[in-house]
Amino acid sequence: MKRLALLLGYLGWTLLGMIGIGLLALIFLIATAVPDIPRVPDELSRLIDIPPTQVYAADGSLLTQVGGRNVVTYDRISPLYIKAVLAAEDDQFFHHPGVDKPALLRATLQYLTGNRSRGG
């Protein structure tokens, strides 16, 4: 009985691994075969360097500037704002290396069971 349980365990992990490899292969195939998929720009600075809209008067003088981006360093952001964002998004942000694996697994399981109320 133990051998059967052990064999079924190995088969289950093997099947799970094969499904994972298949999904990765499918993602790779889609990413390389479909040319119309939006791609990340070569220079990410293009996303940051958005010039402001400038409004001119009839005589050509600049009235105002609207929009654009101002780069703010981390030390200039209010600690209360950081806490508010983390409370809403990821309260464990400083406790994992960028991907909260248990939360991602939990969100995946909830998604597969039909409960789509949480993110990863």
Side-chain angles (χ1 to χ4, degrees), residues 80-97:
L80 293 175
Y81 180 76
I82 293 170
K83 288 179 181 178
V85 170
L86 292 178
E89 294 295 330
D90 184 3
D91 59 341
Q92 297 296 314
F93 180 77
F94 292 112
H95 303 291
H96 58 73

Side-chain angles (χ1 to χ4, degrees), residues 18-35:
M18 290 172 62
I19 290 171
I21 290 171
L23 286 174
L24 288 174
L26 181 64
I27 291 169
F28 177 77
L29 178 67
I30 290 172
T32 57
V34 180

